[in-house]
Amino acid sequence: MRLLLLALFICMASCRNNKKNDAPETAQDMTAMDTDFDLVQAIEDCEDQLKISVPKLTDLTKHPRLIETGETEWKEVPNGRLVWTSGFYPGILWYMYDLTKEEKWKKEAIKRTEVFESFKSITEHHDIGFMMYPAYGMGYELGGMKEYKDILLTSAASLATRFNPKVGTIRSWSNKMHPRWKQHITIIDNMLNLELLYWASDHGGGPVYKDIATKHAETTMKNHFREDGTSWHVIEYDSLTGKVLNRNTKQGFADDSRWSRGQAWGIYGYTMVYRETKDNKFLDFAQKITDKYLELLPEDYIPHWDFDIDTTKDDDRDASAAAVVASGLLELSTYVEKKEDQERYYNAALKMLESLSSPAYSGVGKADAFLLHSTGAKSLGHEIDVALIYADYYYIEALDRLQKMKME
Ligand code: GLY
């Protein structure tokens, strides 16, 4: 009997291994696939990394932005009104508080959030959503800081001033800072700022913010994507007629190339817009652009910084795009109806997290970040193969989402 059981056990183990070895290389045809991702270890690693970095980050006028290639410590930049990354570090601390419920992380998160309340009046660019929502929004949602409500509502009002009804989108950048374009510029990244607007409508701000966000999502869906579901980065619209004047890039490889983080913002954004509207056209679209992204991925599920670079010459990856998509796909997997789609997106997200937490991408033992090997703006000559604070933010958000899904 014992021998029989042993034989059965060996057979089961080998069947499981065969399934792993036979796993399809693209996510398109992947069904229920095992991964070696260890969530508990990944959370512990993040906490250990924060225990190392937080005591070093004492200047409240600055925030950690990147770790240069080969360096080990965060380079801090001022919490300036024009610096879009200001909110991610407090956001990371809010997520660590949510994951551990340890008061020390909440205390640190409050300290790092409350330094830029005055940014609620930013109207000079669209990044106020990126800046305020991870900090004040997560403080409200995860930290129970209900006193942040008015700051968030004011921030949404500031962002809404940039909506042009003739175009149907929020204007992302000022032309002074981006003189290549003369009229109304909208970039795909702007999709993420919509979350602040939906939040405001859900918290007493009235329907206007939700209407603006949904109109922006519709216009972007129409103009910002190619037939095959890939995205351009920058669109210049005629400010008076709303006509598309140009489709270009700023951070991608070429004007007509497929910048991977742009696609990531789209995936995350349309999943979130579906959550807020429950309109199936956004869910279908989120699936379409996700399926294209998955089809373009290399074997380890971490994209090159642009899908159109010559990978025989340039192997730079963008872990930040992978982290954004992993977080978005976990959410998307909960909305799609078909079981096979649920599994496909969930398993793809796990594969991304498995790669990101592996020695190939993890900062553990090498530098103070959770993740290495991101690309901020290679086409502009900076932030190439570095650690980026927003890669860490979306990574820890994905861990928090996964933990909650496992607890349900
Ligand atoms: N501005 C957001 C990004 O660089 O992706």
Side-chain angles (χ1 to χ4, degrees):
M1 183 63 182
R2 248 194 227 160
L3 266 180
L4 196 68
L5 278 176
L6 185 65
L8 190 70
F9 174 76
I10 291 169
C11 171
M12 279 169 63
S14 98
C15 289
R16 203 167 50 230
N17 284 340
N18 280 343
K19 188 165 144 206
K20 253 183 103 78
N21 292 340
D22 291 346
E25 299 304 356
T26 75
Q28 277 298 311
D29 46 2
M30 187 176 68
T31 54
M33 188 174 72
D34 250 343
T35 79
D36 292 328
F37 180 59
D38 182 342
L39 176 61
V40 175
Q41 186 61 52
I43 295 168
E44 251 176 62
D45 286 347
C46 288
E47 189 169 23
D48 289 345
Q49 292 295 81
L50 285 181
K51 282 180 190 159
I52 295 168
S53 61
V54 168
K56 297 180 192 171
L57 300 167
T58 53
D59 185 345
L60 292 180
T61 68
K62 293 181 173 173
H63 67 273
R65 160 87 175 223
L66 77 151
I67 302 180
E68 301 277 14
T69 325
E71 298 286 317
T72 59
E73 295 188 357
W74 286 104
K75 182 173 170 184
E76 293 170 87
V77 299
N79 293 332
R81 287 175 76 87
L82 299 180
V83 187
W84 75 283
T85 46
S86 303
F88 294 117
Y89 180 55
I92 287 169
L93 296 164
W94 284 120
Y95 274 117
M96 187 46 74
Y97 169 64
D98 197 48
L99 284 162
T100 61
K101 296 292 182 283
E102 279 202 44
E103 281 303 309
K104 69 172 180 198
W105 297 125
K106 180 171 178 176
K107 228 170 104 197
E108 194 66 25
I110 291 172
K111 199 167 83 186
R112 302 304 304 225
T113 296
E114 294 184 2
V115 285
F116 49 85
E117 178 182 341
S118 65
F119 291 178
K120 67 188 175 190
S121 65
I122 288 174
T123 54
E124 52 271 37
H125 57 74
H126 71 151
D127 285 323
I128 183 169
F130 270 119
M131 295 161 84
M132 300 305 266
Y133 198 70
Y136 287 93
M138 290 305 107
Y140 184 100
E141 293 296 331
L142 306 176
M145 300 296 289
K146 301 301 172 204
E147 56 271 53
Y148 292 170
K149 182 175 166 176
D150 285 347
I151 296 168
L152 288 160
L153 288 174
T154 306
S155 303
S158 300
L159 178 58
T161 64
R162 299 189 65 79
F163 180 71
N164 177 340
K166 299 255 169 48
V167 176
T169 71
I170 292 161
R171 184 177 188 166
S172 297
W173 294 331
S174 80
N175 306 93
K176 221 192 288 162
M177 282 180 68
H178 299 88
R180 177 178 178 188
W181 299 284
K182 305 283 174 254
Q183 297 210 37
H184 179 107
I185 315 162
T186 298
I187 65 172
I188 187 62
D189 326 25
N190 206 332
M191 288 299 299
L192 273 278
N193 292 310
L194 307 184
E195 195 162 15
L196 173 66
L197 297 178
Y198 285 117
W199 186 96
S201 279
D202 290 343
H203 291 82
V208 60
Y209 300 121
K210 185 177 177 163
D211 291 347
I212 288 174
T214 303
K215 184 71 194 166
H216 181 103
E218 283 168 348
T219 308
T220 298
M221 193 162 88
K222 193 166 93 201
N223 295 327
H224 234 107
F225 289 84
R226 302 176 185 90
E227 260 310 298
D228 71 353
T230 59
S231 156
W232 282 278
H233 183 203
V234 182
I235 302 243
E236 183 179 21
Y237 290 98
D238 184 304
S239 308
L240 297 179
T241 66
K243 186 171 167 270
V244 174
L245 298 177
N246 299 295
R247 293 183 167 95
N248 302 128
T249 199
K250 175 110 185 183
Q251 279 152 272
F253 169 67
D255 277 337
D256 197 31
S257 73
R258 298 166 296 178
W259 178 48
S260 53
R261 198 165 57 251
Q263 193 76 11
W265 294 137
I267 291 167
Y268 189 108
Y270 281 98
T271 303
M272 176 266 295
V273 172
Y274 174 71
R275 179 216 306 153
E276 299 297 336
T277 60
K278 291 290 175 271
D279 183 336
N280 276 329
K281 71 173 182 251
F282 295 124
L283 181 60
D284 292 345
F285 194 68
Q287 283 199 254
K288 176 179 171 174
I289 63 180
T290 296
D291 290 346
K292 188 66 194 177
Y293 175 91
L294 293 176
E295 192 189 302
L296 294 169
L297 285 180
E299 248 175 73
D300 68 357
Y301 284 66
I302 312 298
H304 290 89
W305 65 280
D306 190 296
F307 289 118
D308 292 310
I309 58 169
D310 177 354
T311 52
T312 61
K313 297 200 183 112
D314 174 356
D315 195 39
D316 285 320
R317 302 301 182 94
D318 185 10
S320 76
V324 170
V325 174
S327 185
L329 284 201
L330 286 174
E331 182 171 18
L332 183 61
S333 74
T334 66
Y335 299 146
V336 290
E337 219 170 273
K338 286 195 206 143
K339 189 157 185 318
E340 72 202 53
D341 286 338
Q342 293 166 9
E343 284 178 356
R344 205 158 55 81
Y345 295 137
Y346 181 81
N347 288 333
L350 255 54
K351 276 298 285 181
M352 291 165 200
L353 294 177
E354 183 188 350
S355 274
L356 290 172
S357 61
S358 75
Y361 292 94
S362 166
V364 173
K366 296 176 188 158
D368 291 354
F370 304 157
L371 302 179
L372 307 176
H373 307 309
S374 288
T375 302
K378 183 153 177 163
S379 52
L380 306 177
H382 51 80
E383 297 183 339
I384 301 163
D385 194 14
V386 294
L388 288 169
I389 195 68
Y390 48 95
D392 282 14
Y393 175 79
Y394 290 100
Y395 178 65
I396 196 170
E397 180 183 82
L399 302 186
D400 193 63
R401 285 181 172 184
L402 185 57
Q403 190 184 61
K404 286 185 172 131
M405 286 165 80
K406 282 177 180 288
M407 283 181 332
E408 271 167 10

Coordinates of all heavy atoms in Angstrom, one line a residue, residues 65 84 126-127 130 173 187 189 233 251 259 261-262 265 320 375-377 383 390, ligand 1:
R65 N 13.4 59.1 -5.9 CA 12.8 59.0 -7.3 C 13.4 57.8 -8.0 O 12.7 57.1 -8.7 CB 13.2 60.3 -8.0 CG 13.2 60.3 -9.5 CD 11.8 60.6 -10.1 NE 11.8 60.6 -11.5 CZ 11.2 61.5 -12.2 NH1 10.5 62.5 -11.6 NH2 11.2 61.5 -13.5
W84 N 6.1 64.8 -11.0 CA 5.0 64.0 -11.0 C 5.1 62.8 -10.0 O 4.1 62.1 -9.7 CB 4.7 63.5 -12.4 CG 5.6 62.4 -12.9 CD1 6.9 62.6 -13.4 CD2 5.3 61.0 -13.0 NE1 7.4 61.3 -13.8 CE2 6.4 60.4 -13.6 CE3 4.2 60.2 -12.7 CZ2 6.5 59.0 -13.8 CZ3 4.3 58.8 -12.9 CH2 5.4 58.2 -13.5
H126 N -1.4 67.8 -15.7 CA -2.4 66.8 -15.3 C -1.9 65.9 -14.2 O -2.7 65.1 -13.6 CB -2.7 65.9 -16.5 CG -1.6 65.0 -16.9 ND1 -1.8 63.8 -17.5 CD2 -0.2 65.1 -16.8 CE1 -0.6 63.2 -17.8 NE2 0.3 64.0 -17.3
D127 N -0.6 66.0 -13.8 CA 0.0 65.0 -12.9 C -0.5 65.1 -11.5 O -0.2 64.2 -10.6 CB 1.5 65.1 -12.9 CG 2.1 64.5 -14.2 OD1 1.5 63.5 -14.7 OD2 3.1 65.0 -14.7
F130 N -1.7 61.7 -10.3 CA -0.6 60.8 -10.0 C 0.0 61.2 -8.6 O 0.6 60.4 -7.9 CB 0.6 61.0 -11.0 CG 0.5 60.0 -12.2 CD1 0.3 60.5 -13.5 CD2 0.5 58.6 -12.0 CE1 0.3 59.6 -14.5 CE2 0.5 57.8 -13.0 CZ 0.4 58.2 -14.3
W173 N -0.2 68.4 -20.7 CA 1.0 69.2 -20.4 C 0.8 70.6 -20.9 O -0.1 70.9 -21.8 CB 2.2 68.7 -21.3 CG 2.7 67.4 -20.9 CD1 2.7 66.8 -19.6 CD2 3.4 66.4 -21.7 NE1 3.3 65.5 -19.6 CE2 3.7 65.3 -20.9 CE3 3.7 66.4 -23.1 CZ2 4.4 64.2 -21.4 CZ3 4.4 65.3 -23.6 CH2 4.7 64.2 -22.8
I187 N -1.7 62.8 -23.2 CA -0.8 61.7 -23.3 C -1.5 60.5 -22.6 O -2.4 60.7 -21.8 CB 0.6 61.9 -22.6 CG1 0.5 62.2 -21.1 CG2 1.2 63.1 -23.3 CD1 1.8 62.2 -20.4
D189 N -0.7 58.4 -20.5 CA -0.5 58.3 -19.0 C -1.7 59.0 -18.3 O -1.9 58.6 -17.1 CB 0.8 59.0 -18.6 CG 1.9 59.0 -19.6 OD1 1.7 58.8 -20.8 OD2 3.1 59.1 -19.2
H233 N 1.7 57.6 -27.7 CA 2.0 58.2 -26.4 C 1.3 59.6 -26.4 O 0.5 59.8 -25.5 CB 3.5 58.4 -26.2 CG 3.9 59.0 -24.9 ND1 5.1 59.6 -24.7 CD2 3.2 59.1 -23.7 CE1 5.1 60.0 -23.4 NE2 4.0 59.8 -22.8
Q251 N 8.4 59.7 -24.7 CA 9.3 58.7 -24.1 C 9.5 57.4 -24.8 O 10.2 56.6 -24.4 CB 8.7 58.5 -22.7 CG 9.1 59.5 -21.7 CD 8.1 59.6 -20.5 OE1 7.1 60.3 -20.7 NE2 8.3 58.9 -19.5
W259 N 5.4 52.2 -27.1 CA 6.0 52.4 -25.8 C 5.3 51.5 -24.8 O 4.1 51.6 -24.6 CB 5.9 53.9 -25.5 CG 6.5 54.3 -24.2 CD1 7.8 53.9 -23.7 CD2 5.9 55.1 -23.2 NE1 8.0 54.5 -22.4 CE2 6.8 55.2 -22.1 CE3 4.7 55.8 -23.1 CZ2 6.6 56.0 -21.0 CZ3 4.4 56.5 -21.9 CH2 5.4 56.6 -20.9
R261 N 5.3 51.2 -21.5 CA 4.6 51.8 -20.3 C 3.3 52.5 -20.7 O 2.4 52.5 -19.9 CB 5.5 52.6 -19.4 CG 5.0 52.8 -18.0 CD 5.9 53.3 -16.9 NE 6.5 54.6 -17.3 CZ 7.7 54.8 -17.6 NH1 8.6 53.8 -17.7 NH2 8.2 56.0 -17.9
G262 N 3.4 53.1 -21.9 CA 2.1 53.7 -22.3 C 1.0 52.7 -22.4 O -0.1 52.9 -22.0
W265 N -0.2 51.9 -18.9 CA -1.1 52.9 -18.4 C -2.5 52.7 -18.9 O -3.6 52.8 -18.3 CB -0.7 54.3 -18.7 CG 0.6 54.8 -18.1 CD1 1.6 55.5 -18.7 CD2 1.0 54.7 -16.7 NE1 2.6 55.8 -17.8 CE2 2.3 55.3 -16.6 CE3 0.5 54.0 -15.6 CZ2 3.0 55.3 -15.4 CZ3 1.2 54.1 -14.4 CH2 2.5 54.7 -14.3
S320 N 9.0 48.8 -14.4 CA 7.8 49.6 -13.9 C 6.6 49.3 -14.8 O 5.5 49.2 -14.2 CB 8.2 51.1 -14.0 OG 8.1 51.6 -15.3
T375 N 13.0 51.5 -17.0 CA 13.4 52.5 -17.9 C 12.5 53.7 -17.8 O 11.3 53.5 -18.1 CB 13.5 52.0 -19.3 OG1 14.3 50.8 -19.4 CG2 14.0 53.0 -20.3
G376 N 13.0 54.8 -17.4 CA 12.1 56.0 -17.3 C 11.9 56.7 -18.6 O 10.8 56.8 -19.1
A377 N 13.0 57.1 -19.3 CA 12.9 57.8 -20.5 C 14.2 57.6 -21.3 O 15.0 58.6 -21.5 CB 12.6 59.3 -20.2
E383 N 17.3 58.0 -17.0 CA 16.6 56.9 -16.2 C 16.6 55.6 -17.1 O 15.6 55.0 -17.4 CB 15.2 57.3 -15.8 CG 15.3 58.5 -14.9 CD 13.9 59.0 -14.4 OE1 12.9 58.7 -15.1 OE2 13.8 59.7 -13.4
Y390 N 8.1 54.6 -8.9 CA 6.7 54.2 -9.2 C 6.6 52.7 -9.6 O 5.6 52.1 -9.5 CB 6.1 55.1 -10.3 CG 6.9 55.4 -11.5 CD1 6.8 54.6 -12.7 CD2 7.8 56.4 -11.5 CE1 7.6 55.0 -13.8 CE2 8.6 56.8 -12.6 CZ 8.5 56.0 -13.8 OH 9.3 56.3 -14.9
Ligands
GLY1 N1 4.6 60.3 -16.9 C1 4.5 58.9 -16.6 C2 5.5 58.1 -17.2 O1 6.6 58.4 -17.4 O2 5.2 57.0 -17.5

